[in-house]
């Protein structure tokens, strides 16, 4: 019996419930439980991946098995396989699991350098918020990090997605689109790191005065007592070093977008967020949450 074997190996409380609590294992003796034991107790990632495959094929806790396997594959530098696995088996998962799988896919696309696909998925997630489909139509959801539960609001989730979308546009060298997205993220939930990214977008376009203004108002003023995060401090010093020599020269890219492989006609950011959103329309039912009404009217902010 697996639990007897586990108890002998683990040398912990003979109670199976206590053993599961110690090792954060699910209860039972199924393919998924065996996979989690190999992953968390025996620390054998490759064997655990194989067992997660078996759990998926056996239709045993497929939602968790697919997500856990994909994350473990990512850790093992098998991100491309993880993407294929999610695409192949997500139809077996519940509707409630799809949002979580999308989040895993976004990280996998980022790791693999598949930025265009990352952008499309992020835009789709924003559209779901617009339609009231995110969080199953609720204003908050319960998330977990390092074993602790906490509440995430739609506003915070929207800001997070916009931040990721801005980063992706920066990788595509589309600094006009990135600027638009970061500005909206700052309106919804101001954040020093996003403000620094916005400064970088402005510097890339030759908008040095705007970059210095944002750095002063949203980063330096907010941290005038000192920087608690050394990484943020280093980032600010890096931006200041870029600004100082450049301000002596006339900006040559004041309102010019850096050419992007995706193409501005395709993403239509400069036409305003209304058109930007319509381009990714999906046949979801309409249950708009108030937060998206704040995202739509970007046209006035793009008069540059």
């Amino acid at each position: 019996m697996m639990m007897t074997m586990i108890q002998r190996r683990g040398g912990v409380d003979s109670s199976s419930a206590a053993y599961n609590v110690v090792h954060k294992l699910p209860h039972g003796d199924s393919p998924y439980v065996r996979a989690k034991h190999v992953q968390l107790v025996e620390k054998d990632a490759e064997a655990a991946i194989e067992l997660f495959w078996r759990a998926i094929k056996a239709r045993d806790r497929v939602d968790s098995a697919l997500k856990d396997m994909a994350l473990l594959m990512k850790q093992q530098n098998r991100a491309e396989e993880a993407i294929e696995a999610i695409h192949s088996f997500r139809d077996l998962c519940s509707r409630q699991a799809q949002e979580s799988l999308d989040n895993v896919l976004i990280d996998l696309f980022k790791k693999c350098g598949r930025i265009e696909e990352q952008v499309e998925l992020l835009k789709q997630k924003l559209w779901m918020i617009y339609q009231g489909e995110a969080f199953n139509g609720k204003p908050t959801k319960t998330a977990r990090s390092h074993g602790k539960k906490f509440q995430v609001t739609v506003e915070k989730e929207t800001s997070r997605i916009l931040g990721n979308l801005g980063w992706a546009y920066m990788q595509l060298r589309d600094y006009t689109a990135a600027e638009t997205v970061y500005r909206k993220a700052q309106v919804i939930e101001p954040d020093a790191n996003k403000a620094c990214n916005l400064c970088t977008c402005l510097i890339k376009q030759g908008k040095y005065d705007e970059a210095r203004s944002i750095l002063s108002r949203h980063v330096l003023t907010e941290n005038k007592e000192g920087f608690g995060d050394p990484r943020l401090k280093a980032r600010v010093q890096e931006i200041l070093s870029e600004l100082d020599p450049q301000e002596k020269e006339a900006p040559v890219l004041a309102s010019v977008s850096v050419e992007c492989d995706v193409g501005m006609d395709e993403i239509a950011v400069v036409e305003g967020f209304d058109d930007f959103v319509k381009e990714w329309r999906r046949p979801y039912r309409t249950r708009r949450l108030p937060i998206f009404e704040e995202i739509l009217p970007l046209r006035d902010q793009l008069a540059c």
Side-chain angles (χ1 to χ4, degrees):
M1 184 177 178
M2 186 186 75
M3 188 52 64
T4 302
M5 174 187 70
I6 291 173
Q7 290 165 2
R8 286 201 299 267
R9 288 182 180 178
V12 297
D13 193 305
S14 58
S15 165
S16 62
Y19 183 88
N20 288 344
V21 169
V22 169
H23 293 283
K24 300 180 180 178
L25 292 170
H27 296 282
D29 182 13
S30 67
Y32 177 72
V33 174
R34 289 193 288 273
K36 292 300 289 183
H37 175 263
V38 171
Q39 177 191 6
L40 299 176
V41 180
E42 298 183 9
K43 308 292 185 182
D44 188 338
E46 292 299 331
I49 289 172
E50 177 62 31
L51 289 171
F52 281 129
W53 272 118
R54 295 182 187 179
I56 293 169
K57 292 177 182 178
R59 305 297 192 270
D60 178 32
R61 306 192 195 186
V62 181
D63 290 2
S64 297
L66 181 55
K67 180 180 176 181
D68 289 348
M69 184 182 72
L71 292 172
L72 200 52
M73 283 180 163
K74 178 186 173 184
Q75 294 173 12
Q76 297 300 111
N77 293 317
R78 296 171 59 180
E80 291 285 358
E81 292 179 68
I83 292 171
E84 291 305 313
I86 292 177
H87 285 327
S88 298
F89 295 105
R90 70 182 305 165
D91 288 345
L92 300 177
C93 297
S94 67
R95 182 175 178 274
Q96 291 72 24
Q98 300 303 318
E99 184 176 347
S100 180
L101 290 173
D102 282 342
N103 290 334
V104 175
L105 269 178
I106 287 169
D107 286 340
L108 291 169
F109 287 146
K110 180 178 179 180
K111 184 175 180 66
C112 294
R114 293 164 63 167
I115 307 301
E116 290 87 351
E117 291 167 277
Q118 182 187 6
V119 165
E120 289 305 311
L121 191 48
L122 287 166
K123 292 192 296 186
Q124 182 176 317
K125 288 179 74 66
L126 283 176
W127 179 249
M128 290 178 65
I129 293 175
Y130 172 64
Q131 293 290 65
E133 291 291 330
F135 299 3
N136 293 315
K138 299 178 181 179
T140 64
K141 74 172 181 179
T142 301
R144 184 187 295 272
S145 177
H146 303 293
K148 296 182 179 180
K149 292 182 179 180
F150 59 96
Q151 292 295 309
V152 177
T153 64
V154 172
E155 288 84 358
K156 185 173 288 292
E157 178 71 357
T158 302
S159 179
R160 184 188 70 83
I161 294 171
L162 287 170
N164 289 338
L165 185 57
W167 180 92
Y169 280 133
M170 288 179 70
Q171 307 315 299
L172 295 172
R173 295 175 58 81
D174 188 347
Y175 299 113
T176 298
E179 176 193 346
T180 299
V181 171
Y182 277 127
R183 284 188 186 277
K184 197 65 224 176
Q186 284 297 99
V187 170
I188 295 171
E189 187 180 53
D191 175 85
N193 288 310
K194 293 187 184 74
C196 286
N197 288 342
L198 175 56
C199 288
T200 298
C201 294
L202 294 169
I203 290 170
K204 294 293 186 180
Q205 298 175 80
K207 302 176 182 179
Y208 305 116
D209 289 340
E210 289 185 64
R212 180 172 286 279
S213 175
I214 287 173
L215 188 67
S216 176
R217 286 186 290 111
H218 295 288
V219 182
L220 297 178
T221 302
E222 295 295 325
N223 295 274
K224 58 185 177 182
E225 300 298 327
F227 291 92
D229 185 350
R231 292 173 298 181
L232 177 59
K233 181 179 180 180
R235 184 76 188 282
V236 170
Q237 290 174 337
E238 179 184 344
I239 292 172
L240 287 172
S241 68
E242 291 183 57
L243 283 171
D244 289 339
Q246 295 293 345
E247 286 185 334
K248 299 176 184 178
E249 304 175 6
V252 294
L253 297 175
S255 60
V256 179
S257 170
V258 177
E259 185 177 355
C260 171
D261 290 339
V262 179
M264 290 304 294
D265 288 338
E266 180 181 347
I267 57 176
V269 175
V270 293
E271 299 300 327
F273 211 77
D274 286 347
D275 294 335
F276 190 38
V277 169
K278 290 175 184 176
E279 195 167 304
W280 353 303
R281 187 176 296 277
R282 298 290 186 274
Y284 298 122
R285 65 183 183 278
T286 299
R287 289 185 297 162
R288 294 189 192 180
L289 293 174
I291 182 61
F292 210 89
E293 303 304 331
E294 298 180 22
I295 301 177
L296 288 176
L298 286 184
R299 185 176 289 106
D300 293 341
Q301 299 180 25
L302 292 170
C304 58

